Structure formats: structure tokens, C-alpha cells
């Protein structure tokens, strides 16, 4: 676990972390995957990249020189010259390995025909976001999963309480009908971690007939990077899908760790619970798992600790 107290935007830290995505048509994802995986591994890059016929998405980390080469390669892919990226710094690699995978979607919504290249909400820069969400006529929606929302969100945001992004369309349709019943014509603002989920959620909302749809350009990460804390409407921390777990303003590493059983964030209060056992369970997942699963997790945790003492990483499969 990366435990540095340094500010992750500090250019003196050796590791460059890049979150990226681009919606663009790829014809031969498997060919792209092979070349990209070979390049990343040869340069010592770690992280995960997802490829689909709709584009590319992921977060990777490595040295500045290696990252420059990988980004040059990705930007040379069809339609990727204007690749959307967000950068931060880390004291050590926040990933243990490199994965490049081909998927049906680069962010899974499960609604056929949703295409952000054809229709999408209005982008709002972080500098203009506060004015939008403070407008009493704006309905602010957090499009992330429930465990992400639990550690931080914007003031006044609606939490859909969804376990996965696949649940968002049904939730939105139910909410839209509720608003229509109240006689309101909603002005909807949405946000997510890096912006990619909002590309799809705003495209979906407009396809559903909502005219005034907005989303935070660059996502929460860009907001936390660029908006001073004393002017911020963000409350708490932002969950990220790597070993940093959460980040704060300035993209400084947050206080949460992660449950190795369910991958949800764990607070100091969670660790004090009798349901918490490092690497085995936390209050969020204890009742979701069987005793047999917890025994497997305990064995995996033991192997991880043994590997750490040997100065290696245990890369056994996550359950």
C-alpha cells in the first residue's frame, strides 16, 4: 500500500500516474491490445487499460520517460490524438501489474446504442462548476457507485445508491418520472471520478429526452486538482481505483485504505469494528461472504505478508 504523505501533484515524486479515456471507433481491438501490452510491459508501466469498439479507458503509472512513450503510442491510435488525460504523482507504483483487456464497453452501462460521440451533455469546466450546482434549479447527481459516494461527494448531490453503473439507467428513468410527476423540467448536472461515466450518463439522459444536461469536465479529479480547497464545494475524499484508495484536494493521498476482500474503502472507524479483519473482511462485506471465502482470504493475506517480507509481490487471483 502506498502510504506517502507527499502531495501527489508534487513533481519531485518519481511516479507519474495518468488516468485516460477516449471514445473512438476501434476496428481490431485484439491487435491494439497486443502491441499496447507489449509496449507497457517493456517500459515497466503498471495499471489497467480497457479496449472496446467504442474506445479506450484506464489508469497507468510509471516513469516520466516511459509514460511519454506510451502516451505517444496511444495518441497515434485512430481518433486518439485528443486523448483526455488527468495526471498526478506518486511515491511508488500504485499498481502491482499491467493488464490490457478487451471488453464490450470501456465503461459498462449495458444500454445498447448509447454513443457519446453522437450526443452528450454540455461540458462544464471546474472553474464554472460551483455556479452551476449552486443554482437552485439544478439537480445534481453523483453517477458513481455507493461505496465511492460514501467517502465523499459534492454538497447537495443526489446519491442514486447504486452498486454498479449498470443500475444507473433504471434509477434515472425512475427519477425522471418522479420529477415529471412534480411538474418540473429538470436541469441536470452529473459528475464522476474522471469524466468517462458522465460521457455515457449524459448521453443516456439526452437520449431519454432531458434537454438541459451538464457534466463536470475532467471529473472530480480535475476539480480537486484545480479548485482551491477554500473555494471548494467538495466534501470528503475521492475514491480512486488503485492502491492510493482515495485522494484529497491537490490530489494529495487520502486517509482511507482498502478492504482486500471486497475492494471497498476502509476508514479508521471501520477498522475498529469487530467485523474488520485485515485482508479478510470489513463491515461492508462481512455478511456478504461465507466462512469458506473468508478462510481463502485469510490464506491469501498470509501469502501476501510472506511475499512482502521476501521483498516480492503476491499476485494471486482476487476473489
Amino acid at each position: 500500500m502506498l502510504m506517502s504523505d507527499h502531495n501527489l501533484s508534487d513533481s519531485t515524486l518519481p511516479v507519474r500516474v495518468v488516468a485516460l479515456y477516449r471514445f473512438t471507433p476501434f476496428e481490431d481491438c485484439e491487435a491494439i491490445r497486443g502491441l499496447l501490452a507489449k509496449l507497457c510491459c517493456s517500459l515497466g508501466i503498471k495499471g489497467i487499460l480497457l479496449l472496446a469498439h467504442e474506445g479506450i479507458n484506464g489508469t497507468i503509472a510509471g516513469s516520466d520517460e516511459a509514460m511519454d512513450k506510451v502516451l505517444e503510442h496511444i495518441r497515434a491510435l485512430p481518433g486518439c490524438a485528443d486523448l483526455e488525460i488527468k495526471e498526478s504523482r506518486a511515491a511508488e507504483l500504485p499498481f502491482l501489474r499491467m493488464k490490457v483487456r478487451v471488453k464490450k464497453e470501456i465503461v459498462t452501462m449495458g444500454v445498447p446504442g448509447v454513443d457519446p460521440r453522437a450526443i452528450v451533455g454540455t461540458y462544464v469546466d471546474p472553474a464554472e462548476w460551483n455556479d452551476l450546482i449552486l443554482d437552485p434549479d439544478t439537480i445534481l447527481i453523483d453517477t458513481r457507485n455507493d461505496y465511492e459516494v460514501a467517502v465523499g461527494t459534492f454538497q447537495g448531490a443526489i446519491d442514486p445508491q447504486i452498486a454498479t453503473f449498470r443500475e444507473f439507467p433504471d434509477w434515472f428513468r425512475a427519477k425522471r418520472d418522479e420529477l415529471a410527476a412534480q411538474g418540473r423540467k429538470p436541469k441536470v448536472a452529473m459528475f464522476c471520478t474522471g469524466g468517462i461515466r458522465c460521457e455515457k450518463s449524459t448521453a443516456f439522459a439526452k437520449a431519454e429526452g432531458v434537454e438541459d444536461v451538464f457534466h463536470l469536465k475532467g471529473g472530480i479529479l480535475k476539480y480537486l486538482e484545480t479548485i482551491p480547497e477554500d473555494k471548494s464545494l467538495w466534501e470528503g475524499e475521492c475514491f480512486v481505483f488503485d492502491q492510493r484508495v482515495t485522494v484529497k484536494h491537490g490530489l494529495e493521498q487520502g486517509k482511507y485504505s482498502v478492504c482486500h476482500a471486497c475492494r471497498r474503502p476502509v476508514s479508521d472507524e471501520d477498522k475498529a469494528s469487530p467485523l474488520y479483519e485485515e485482508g479478510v473482511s470489513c463491515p461492508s462485506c462481512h455478511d456478504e461472504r461465507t466462512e469458506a471465502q473468508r478462510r481463502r482470504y485469510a490464506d491469501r493475506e498470509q501469502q501476501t505478508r510472506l511475499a512482502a517480507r521476501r521483498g516480492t509481490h503476491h499476485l494471486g487471483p482476487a476473489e
Side-chain angles (χ1 to χ4, degrees):
M1 181 63 62
L2 195 164
M3 296 301 291
S4 169
D5 290 330
H6 295 287
N7 188 306
L8 293 175
S9 62
D10 185 348
S11 61
T12 64
L13 295 177
V15 177
R16 183 176 170 190
V17 183
V18 175
L20 60 91
Y21 75 86
R22 180 68 176 171
F23 283 97
T24 184
F26 286 156
E27 294 299 325
D28 191 345
C29 292
E30 193 55 45
I32 294 172
R33 188 204 68 78
L35 291 173
L36 190 52
K38 183 178 180 180
L39 178 63
C40 288
C41 290
S42 71
L43 294 170
I45 296 289
K46 301 292 178 65
I48 184 165
L49 292 171
L50 302 180
L51 301 169
H53 290 299
E54 66 182 5
I56 185 170
N57 174 35
T59 303
I60 51 178
S63 69
D64 286 310
E65 182 180 2
M67 196 64 68
D68 284 342
K69 292 179 180 178
V70 171
L71 290 177
E72 182 182 7
H73 177 87
I74 295 174
R75 288 189 171 112
L77 296 174
C80 288
D82 295 325
L83 185 73
E84 176 77 22
I85 70 169
K86 285 161 288 295
E87 300 190 30
S88 57
R89 310 293 300 191
E92 58 190 75
L93 285 168
F95 300 97
L96 299 180
R97 50 193 152 186
M98 185 67 220
K99 302 176 186 177
V100 184
R101 293 177 172 170
V102 176
K103 298 282 190 177
K104 291 183 178 180
E105 300 177 76
I106 56 174
V107 58
T108 304
M109 174 178 269
V111 179
V114 174
D115 185 359
R117 294 169 295 166
I119 184 173
V120 74
T122 302
Y123 296 96
V124 180
D125 288 328
E128 301 169 348
W129 184 248
N130 286 358
D131 289 340
L132 173 65
I133 68 175
L134 287 172
D135 184 337
D137 291 328
T138 299
I139 298 169
L140 181 62
I141 301 174
D142 193 329
T143 66
R144 301 171 302 151
N145 300 337
D146 49 10
Y147 61 88
E148 299 174 77
V149 180
V151 300
T153 192
F154 281 106
Q155 296 175 20
I158 296 172
D159 175 10
Q161 298 181 333
I162 55 177
T164 72
F165 192 50
R166 278 183 174 274
E167 298 176 12
F168 182 81
D170 287 343
W171 176 87
F172 185 82
R173 284 170 175 148
K175 189 67 178 180
R176 179 201 59 195
D177 292 343
E178 176 186 326
L179 293 172
Q182 296 172 8
R184 293 186 62 180
K185 182 180 180 181
K187 180 167 69 173
V188 175
M190 300 183 185
F191 62 94
C192 59
T193 307
I196 186 170
R197 277 178 279 189
C198 288
E199 297 273 3
K200 280 204 167 179
S201 61
T202 59
F204 170 77
K206 290 185 76 70
E208 290 286 298
V210 181
E211 296 178 6
D212 295 325
V213 185
F214 304 84
H215 64 115
L216 177 58
K217 187 175 183 180
I220 301 161
L221 294 180
K222 183 60 69 175
Y223 183 93
L224 294 180
E225 178 186 354
T226 58
I227 301 301
E229 188 169 1
D230 62 351
K231 298 184 183 301
S232 174
L233 298 179
W234 178 262
E235 297 178 331
E237 300 181 7
C238 177
F239 182 84
V240 290
F241 292 90
D242 59 55
Q243 290 193 2
R244 294 173 297 172
V245 186
T246 60
V247 295
K248 301 183 291 186
H249 283 88
L251 301 186
E252 180 183 352
Q253 185 170 325
K255 65 183 180 181
Y256 286 79
S257 57
V258 72
C259 173
H260 293 159
C262 68
R263 312 308 300 173
R264 296 184 180 112
V266 175
S267 66
D268 290 339
E269 184 180 46
D270 292 329
K271 292 178 181 179
S273 167
L275 301 180
Y276 177 77
E277 182 178 353
E278 186 175 359
V280 178
S281 68
C282 71
S284 296
C285 73
H286 183 274
D287 293 339
E288 297 175 355
R289 304 296 197 265
T290 66
E291 284 298 326
Q293 286 176 311
R294 283 194 284 272
R295 284 194 296 271
R296 290 203 304 273
Y297 299 155
D299 180 68
R300 181 181 61 186
E301 183 67 16
Q302 182 181 21
Q303 295 300 319
T304 299
R305 292 176 183 177
L306 288 172
R309 286 199 288 270
R310 292 193 299 265
T312 61
H313 291 299
H314 175 62
L315 297 179
E319 296 292 334

